[in-house]
Amino acid sequence: MNRLDRQSFLGAQSDQILAGATIGFVGLGGGGSHAAQQGAHIGIGSHVLVDHDRIDLTNTNRLVGGTLLDVLLRRHKTAIAARTIRTLNPSAHIVEVRKSWHDAIEELKRCDIIVGAVDSFREREQLERFARRHLIPYIDMGMDVHETSAGHLVSGQVILSSPGRPCLRCCGLITDERLKEEAGKYGSAGGRPQVVWPNGALASTAVGLMVQTLTPWHRKPAGFAYLVYDGNKGTITPSPRAAMMQELTCPHHPADDQ
């Protein structure tokens, strides 16, 4: 019995395709830890884990696989993700980069897809630009918390950005105004508020797009997707802007810049 028998609907040779894939996971403190874990579950063979940080007590509300002992020992987030992956796939090929992704250029160049779960808009734009330059699909995910008159609104998005297709700027996620105003925190609910369930929902959506891109199960895999999450309603739906952008050629990343 093959442990992946129940996902055979993904298509002929899907097990081999996933085992032969190399996925970069950049940012492992929240949604990235979910995505890396799910990558192991579905049979991804090679993982590039990038995060410069160590776990602390405030990470334990959302970092999948993290324990209080890890906090005590100040383990690197990449080490926790690697341990989680190996419990499912002892033969997985794992590269840990315990530095900024800017120091992981050579490792990320070899990835088939990069999944980003970074806090900064500037880092997201730079990571997407790097991926486009090397013709690598980039899946960005992020959540936000806003304070409104009716209480706190939990929201988020997952964007699949492929060379030649709409980018994060096309979607309006990255703007010059946001880059100028960026203060390294989410919304107005305090210092970078995050909770586990939006991270899990967004990561699952990102992994679905990753599998759709890699395997033959989907007859019309998307080269571009812009999905929005409403944590208060519990929904993930295509952005109203997505349909209008399907045929858009990205003006922000010219072909000669990729």
Side-chain angles (χ1 to χ4, degrees):
M1 178 182 292
N2 183 332
R3 79 172 185 90
L4 302 178
D5 280 348
R6 293 198 178 189
Q7 63 183 46
S8 59
F9 71 91
L10 294 178
Q13 307 300 314
S14 58
D15 290 0
Q16 293 90 330
I17 292 169
L18 294 169
T22 300
I23 308 298
F25 297 94
V26 181
L28 294 160
S33 67
H34 289 258
Q37 179 196 45
Q38 291 188 37
H41 275 287
I42 65 172
I44 296 298
S46 296
H47 310 249
V48 177
L49 307 176
V50 184
D51 198 312
H52 72 281
D53 208 1
R54 299 172 186 265
I55 190 173
D56 65 34
L57 192 61
T58 67
N59 297 136
T60 57
N61 77 322
R62 64 191 185 279
L63 195 159
V64 170
T67 67
L68 295 177
L69 180 59
D70 292 328
V71 174
L72 182 64
L73 297 177
R74 300 188 67 247
R75 285 200 171 100
H76 283 275
K77 293 176 181 178
T78 58
I80 296 168
R83 181 182 67 204
T84 299
I85 292 166
R86 288 195 173 101
T87 61
L88 289 159
N89 183 3
S91 63
H93 179 256
I94 300 173
V95 175
E96 292 183 55
V97 181
R98 298 173 179 178
K99 299 178 181 179
S100 162
W101 72 266
H102 297 277
D103 298 307
I105 298 299
E106 292 306 314
E107 292 82 0
L108 290 172
K109 279 182 185 179
R110 294 191 286 271
C111 292
D112 297 296
I113 296 174
I114 296 173
V115 178
V118 296
D119 292 335
S120 161
F121 287 115
R122 186 168 300 279
E123 288 296 296
R124 289 157 109 162
E125 181 177 49
Q126 292 176 356
L127 185 54
E128 179 190 38
R129 188 173 296 279
F130 164 82
R132 293 224 169 192
R133 187 175 300 122
H134 296 285
L135 303 178
I136 302 170
Y138 171 65
I139 302 175
D140 181 87
M141 57 181 172
M143 63 160 287
D144 209 342
V145 180
H146 299 281
E147 188 172 5
T148 70
S149 58
H152 289 101
L153 171 64
V154 180
S155 63
Q157 71 289 316
V158 177
I159 299 174
L160 168 59
S161 167
S162 301
R165 303 302 301 277
C167 71
L168 302 185
R169 277 189 177 268
C170 294
C171 294
L173 182 69
I174 303 292
T175 65
D176 290 339
E177 182 180 10
R178 274 184 166 171
L179 292 174
K180 290 177 182 178
E181 293 180 352
E182 186 168 63
K185 67 178 183 179
Y186 284 102
S188 57
R192 297 182 180 178
Q194 287 197 26
V195 283
V196 71
W197 72 90
N199 281 323
L202 293 165
S204 294
T205 303
V207 171
L209 288 171
M210 180 176 77
V211 174
Q212 176 179 310
T213 301
L214 291 171
T215 67
W217 79 275
H218 198 287
R219 293 186 178 183
K220 295 183 179 180
F224 163 71
Y226 181 10
L227 302 170
V228 293
Y229 171 71
D230 186 326
N232 294 50
K233 294 180 179 178
T235 60
I236 297 176
T237 55
S239 166
R241 302 178 61 172
M244 298 183 293
M245 292 190 293
Q246 285 296 337
E247 303 304 320
L248 175 70
T249 298
C250 174
H252 304 104
H253 300 273
D256 58 2
D257 188 43
Q258 297 180 7

